[in-house]
Amino acid sequence: MPNPFGAPEVSVQEVNQKRIAAEPQLLVDVREAQEYGVRISGDDVVMLPLSELAARQLESIPETLSDKEQEVVIFCHHGMRSAQATMWFMQQGWTNVKSMDGGIDAWANEVDPSIGTY
């Protein structure tokens, strides 16, 4: 589903294929802490709540996101907050950032049902 922000998107299947192939990408979860009961695990996942990003802007960016050319996939529950965050990252100079279409809900339904939904 196209997002209202015009952010570039990537499917959960594409993200999963890259993870399986061990291709470098960083997944950024912009959901809030109370939503973390359902989550994607791994060393390639960074938690960065959208509220913290909005409040602290560039100061909230962890060292793992310092390379503005690395592949970054941002996700939330359904894809709206991640699309908004994707556009913000692009405006700040990140060149290879996309929103995961359908968010963690699509991930749970199409890739890993074991993580559950909410």
Side-chain angles (χ1 to χ4, degrees):
M1 170 177 98
N3 61 72
F5 300 100
E9 293 181 314
V10 62
S11 73
V12 293
Q13 293 87 3
E14 291 173 274
V15 173
N16 188 47
Q17 286 302 318
K18 285 193 173 196
R19 287 184 102 202
I20 290 169
E23 292 180 31
Q25 65 182 343
L26 190 60
L27 306 181
V28 178
D29 187 343
V30 295
R31 296 174 304 142
E32 299 303 315
Q34 65 269 19
E35 297 177 272
Y36 290 166
V38 172
R39 60 194 269 180
I40 300 171
S41 298
D43 293 338
D44 59 341
V45 181
V46 173
M47 308 302 200
L48 179 59
L50 190 60
S51 62
E52 183 178 336
L53 184 61
R56 298 183 51 231
Q57 305 270 326
L58 289 172
E59 291 177 7
S60 69
I61 304 298
E63 181 67 29
T64 53
L65 280 166
S66 62
D67 178 0
K68 291 186 174 186
E69 295 179 7
Q70 71 182 317
E71 185 167 350
V72 176
V73 176
I74 302 177
F75 70 94
C76 62
H77 189 194
H78 288 112
M80 290 302 123
R81 288 175 286 177
S82 60
Q84 184 179 9
T86 296
M87 294 306 294
W88 182 85
F89 272 91
M90 291 173 70
Q91 290 166 354
Q92 305 310 310
W94 273 261
T95 59
N96 194 7
V97 59
K98 294 179 183 168
S99 175
M100 189 167 76
D101 186 26
I104 198 159
D105 190 65
W107 185 272
N109 286 307
E110 300 174 34
V111 174
D112 186 3
S114 72
I115 66 170
T117 59
Y118 63 100

